[in-house]
Amino acid sequence: MDQQVIIFILYILLFLFGMGVMTGGMHALVGNRMRRTLERTANTPLKGLVIGTFASMLLQSSSAVTIITVGLIGAQAMRFSQSVGIILGANIGTTLTGEIAALPVGSIHYVFLGAGVLMMCLPFRRFFSIGSFLFGIGCLFASMNGFSSLSETLIQSPFIRDLLVDANESMIYAVIVGTLFSAIIQSSSATLLVCMGFLDHNILSLPAAIAIMLGSNVGTCLTTYIASLGTGREGRWTAYTHILFNVLSVIVFFPFIHFMSDYSMMIGGTGRAALAHASVLFNLITGFIAVPLAGPFGRWVERTRL
């Protein structure tokens, strides 16, 4: 069993490595343009939400987009009021990883890994960046297969079995588990993939998986908070807003976990797809609810000296 836990941790590391390589490749392709776009065009909360969504979809990391935003505010290239919409959109864009993970990809990760390595070996900088992106996707798919294949073995561990039993019985406990797990590994997407592996074998209930997904949105705020420590007041308030928005979103949606479970299963058909759809719905709905409040909130923070 200890060996299986080590392999499980290695698959998490493979996923995080793949996300890092994929994000690095895409950042090399569009990073500077993305930064300039964030500076120029996020002048209203709705525009910020749209731009933040697309930026996070391209970089596949809400933390990366939020950290870039904190950096721009620290450099006084952006006002705090411009950042609120971007933060809302960043949470939406990163749900693309879950939708990709829900696809029945089989052994296609070998194709992505092979194509990625081949393009990285070519003596062209742009091809290296594209190859890095493809290789990262291959690592993501490989880790997905690993999570699914290991889930039945891991349930034999008394600690993991008790953890999942408690999560299935208590939605509050499941939210806490999701928060702590994603805070430790700093990836809500990895948390989602681990839940999908347990869902594949009916080890984890869909409502519990959705509750863990809600908690994972809070746990990943830690990276943004750490990044904001060296910035000024508005940079720190960007991190505080990220935390506040995610915590309030979980509180608002918590009573509707079972309704969201039934609805997402109806449109998804499988537990894996239903969890991915629930993540998209949660972030879309909370983002659009918060947009009308983003402008007044941003201007209030800029006017006060908190």
Side-chain angles (χ1 to χ4, degrees), residues 102-122:
L103 297 173
V105 294
S107 298
I108 199 173
H109 57 278
Y110 293 118
V111 176
F112 282 103
L113 290 171
V117 169
L118 181 63
M119 294 190 74
M120 289 166 70
C121 291
L122 296 175

Side-chain angles (χ1 to χ4, degrees), residues 36-54:
R36 289 194 296 270
T37 300
L38 290 174
E39 286 180 39
R40 287 197 314 267
T41 58
N43 54 355
T44 68
L46 185 58
K47 285 184 181 178
L49 181 139
V50 173
I51 293 165
T53 298
F54 279 105

Side-chain angles (χ1 to χ4, degrees), residues 205-207 210 256-266 274 278:
S205 69
L206 182 57
I210 290 174
F256 305 103
I257 286 177
H258 288 89
F259 172 78
M260 198 189 322
S261 171
D262 295 338
Y263 181 73
S264 57
M265 179 60 80
M266 183 178 67

Side-chain angles (χ1 to χ4, degrees), residues 4 35 43 52 90 102 106-107 120 143 154 169 178 182 206 234 288:
Q4 298 300 324
R35 184 181 289 265
N43 54 355
S107 298
M120 289 166 70
S143 62
L154 285 171
E169 292 178 351
S182 65
L206 182 57
E234 290 191 348
F288 280 105

